[in-house]
Amino acid sequence: MKRNLSIAIAAVLLLSTWACSKNIPVDGDGLLITTRRECSVSSFELLGTDFVSVRVGAAVIDTVAQTVTCTVQFGTDLRNLYPQFSLAQDCTLNPKITGLTDFSDLAHPRQWTVISGDRQIKKTYTVTLTVQPR
Amino acid sequence: MRNIFLAIAGLALFAASCKKSDYALPTPSTKLQNQAIKRTLGPNIVGQVIEFAYAGAILKGKLTSFQADANIAGAAGTYMENQSYYTAQTGADVGVPVGDLSVTKATNTMVTFNVDTNAATLRYYYVIPEEARGKTVTITFTAKSADGESVSTVMGPYTVAKMDMKLNMKLTDNNAMYISIGDSTVYNATDAAAHAGSIDLVYLYRNLTTSAFGHALVSPAADPMYLPGVTLPTGVNRSTKELKAFNLQDHNLAPTEQYGGIFIDDIDLQTIDLSKSPNYAINLKADAGVWCQTADGKYNAYIFFNSVGTGTATVSMKRYKLK
């Protein structure tokens, strides 16, 4: 009797382990690694500390040259901006944007790397800001 | 034998769990009863009112008085309504006079009933005095009935904020445009020269075709490109750190607006980090706000734009003394 019970418990445990071990690849952030190879920025937004856009017109995104060019309003506090990227499906961005970002060194534009859904293609975008004259 | 005992115990437990007890209507107390609620929300700020509704009732007999005792005497204007309110079908509060006008002596405010009633709800308005700043306030409400019975309820303690507030300061470009956070005052150029050491911000309005400048609060020490056409009075040269906000519609600063329950409290003004903020804020609109820190680090403030016109603005400010 006891032997049968042990066998039954072992079988259930084995089955449950097998049921949980799905072969789905995820990256270090727990995001799904897919087969998509698109790797681009589709839109770009820049918010001030008041969460209001500081852009003057739309940002110009060149996916070939891998650049984002954006004019910001006169008086924008360049040290405290929230950049927002929209990426092709399943892409990730490196470094991650975790809060306010300093764009004040206009001579050295900030760069972000877009990584494709399959994590095999990496494209580094340069974000160049221009301040609108008064 | 042991198994039989366990089975019987289990059955007994099962039977007990299914037994329903009959519901009995609660018997109302014949004693004098009371209850109070605090009607105001948000931080308790010196000069503002904390409103309570205090109810008392007795099954038989009549009420003779309601009173409120504060641990710190309320400022002028502290009183208790002598009307008991009920809500009409329209939703409006309708007052029924039940007593004489309240009498306030030091920490005590009392209404003596002059009608025969066994239940009433009176409102008590405690105006927070300067003495209470940074301290706690406790109110003890007491109801008395004709048979000599009395009952009390203690409300609080409520912490009174250290910050203070200045509402509806009128700003005018090229006139009343020099703001002193320390003085909570707006000066014109002549007066600003006399208070040069305390001018923290300059209000200006520029309708430029080349950029969105609009309404601005700029430190006197900011880059002159943010002060176009402004000649500062002699000695006005402080640099105030500023952080723009929008839609942070503090309910105290805009009491007439139907804004949500957003309140800026001491903790917000204590902890706001302005160390990396610039010393100017331009392109401000109605409902915009600016967090500020004075050059000497003495004050943190939040200035809210209640309304704007062409070259004019009405602003309200919450200010916290850091040191």
Side-chain angles (χ1 to χ4, degrees):
Chain A
M1 181 63 184
K2 273 188 179 175
R3 188 164 167 263
N4 288 342
L5 191 66
S6 301
I7 290 168
I9 292 169
V12 168
L13 282 173
L14 198 67
L15 270 170
S16 61
T17 309
W18 174 76
C20 293
S21 63
K22 289 178 185 170
N23 190 23
I24 298 172
V26 292
D27 64 13
D29 296 317
L31 297 172
L32 203 60
I33 298 173
T34 67
T35 56
R36 291 184 184 279
R37 299 183 67 79
E38 296 91 341
C39 186
S40 62
V41 172
S42 53
S43 71
F44 179 75
E45 179 60 281
L46 207 51
L47 305 178
T49 56
D50 52 3
F51 301 105
V52 175
S53 177
V54 296
R55 283 184 297 104
V56 179
V60 178
I61 300 164
D62 187 331
T63 54
V64 177
Q66 294 164 209
T67 58
V68 176
T69 310
C70 185
T71 302
V72 299
Q73 293 170 351
F74 171 75
T76 297
D77 174 14
L78 295 174
R79 289 200 297 172
N80 296 298
L81 292 171
Y82 293 105
Q84 292 181 338
F85 291 87
S86 293
L87 308 176
Q89 192 167 353
D90 297 341
C91 289
T92 61
L93 195 66
N94 186 44
K96 297 186 188 83
I97 296 167
T98 55
L100 290 167
T101 305
D102 188 347
F103 284 88
S104 60
D105 188 356
L106 294 175
H108 297 91
R110 303 293 302 251
Q111 292 186 318
W112 279 270
T113 300
V114 182
I115 305 167
S116 63
D118 65 2
R119 305 294 186 265
Q120 300 301 308
I121 302 168
K122 296 181 180 179
K123 289 187 177 178
T124 300
Y125 277 72
T126 302
V127 179
T128 306
L129 301 189
T130 309
V131 180
Q132 180 189 34
R134 191 180 76 193
Chain B
M1 184 64 187
R2 188 167 165 242
N3 288 345
I4 292 168
F5 175 75
L6 282 173
I8 292 168
L11 280 171
L13 196 68
F14 178 72
S17 66
C18 294
K19 189 182 176 185
K20 287 179 183 173
S21 55
D22 292 330
Y23 174 76
L25 281 171
T27 309
S29 170
T30 55
K31 292 183 175 177
L32 177 62
Q33 296 181 82
N34 72 151
Q35 199 166 45
I37 58 167
K38 181 171 176 279
R39 282 172 57 86
T40 43
L41 298 173
N44 306 304
I45 303 170
V46 172
Q48 299 292 298
V49 170
I50 309 178
E51 182 186 343
F52 298 89
Y54 179 60
I58 188 165
L59 202 60
K60 290 177 182 173
K62 64 177 184 178
L63 300 169
T64 54
S65 69
F66 279 4
Q67 62 183 35
D69 289 284
N71 63 330
I72 300 172
T78 296
Y79 75 106
M80 188 181 278
E81 285 255 26
N82 64 334
Q83 299 188 90
S84 182
Y85 284 90
Y86 69 92
T87 306
Q89 283 187 332
T90 57
D93 285 348
V94 181
V96 179
V98 293
D100 300 329
L101 291 173
S102 68
V103 176
T104 298
K105 288 177 183 171
T107 58
N108 175 272
T109 301
M110 179 187 262
V111 167
T112 304
F113 284 77
N114 58 15
V115 296
D116 186 352
T117 182
N118 67 340
T121 302
L122 303 188
R123 292 182 185 174
Y124 173 62
Y125 302 88
Y126 177 79
V127 181
I128 303 169
E130 179 62 41
E131 188 193 342
R133 188 185 299 278
K135 298 176 185 171
T136 56
V137 170
T138 303
I139 313 287
T140 304
F141 291 97
T142 305
K144 289 181 180 172
S145 61
D147 60 4
E149 199 177 350
S150 76
V151 65
S152 293
T153 291
V154 178
M155 297 294 284
Y158 303 107
T159 301
V160 175
K162 288 183 179 174
M163 66 181 166
D164 51 35
M165 202 165 62
K166 183 77 180 280
L167 301 178
N168 300 323
M169 294 188 284
K170 307 288 183 192
L171 305 175
T172 308
D173 183 38
N174 213 23
N175 189 1
M177 59 188 286
Y178 298 97
I179 302 169
S180 169
I181 294 172
D183 298 347
S184 285
T185 305
V186 180
Y187 297 109
N188 60 22
T190 308
D191 293 335
H195 299 84
S198 66
I199 302 302
D200 300 299
L201 296 166
V202 180
Y203 165 75
L204 65 156
Y205 172 79
R206 297 291 181 270
N207 185 17
L208 305 179
T209 54
T210 49
S211 65
F213 197 100
H215 302 268
L217 290 180
V218 181
S219 290
D223 189 315
M225 71 177 173
Y226 299 116
L227 290 162
V230 175
T231 304
L232 295 169
T234 307
V236 173
N237 57 10
R238 302 184 91 189
S239 182
T240 303
K241 288 182 170 145
E242 297 178 62
L243 183 74
K244 285 171 72 174
F246 192 68
N247 274 338
L248 182 54
Q249 299 155 326
D250 179 271
H251 194 71
N252 291 127
L253 299 181
T256 58
E257 302 290 343
Q258 295 299 312
Y259 295 140
I262 299 173
F263 293 95
I264 292 170
D265 210 335
D266 279 358
I267 187 76
D268 303 305
L269 291 160
Q270 284 166 359
T271 56
I272 185 79
D273 181 8
L274 302 172
S275 58
K276 294 179 181 172
S277 298
N279 59 358
Y280 62 89
I282 70 170
N283 194 20
L284 300 167
K285 302 173 173 69
D287 291 341
V290 182
W291 295 94
C292 306
Q293 186 173 75
T294 56
D296 54 9
K298 197 172 177 184
Y299 291 101
N300 274 358
Y302 178 72
I303 299 175
F304 177 74
F305 277 67
N306 297 90
S307 63
V308 295
T310 304
T312 62
T314 301
V315 298
S316 298
M317 177 173 74
K318 276 186 172 176
R319 182 189 72 160
Y320 184 88
K321 193 172 185 177
L322 294 167
K323 56 186 180 182

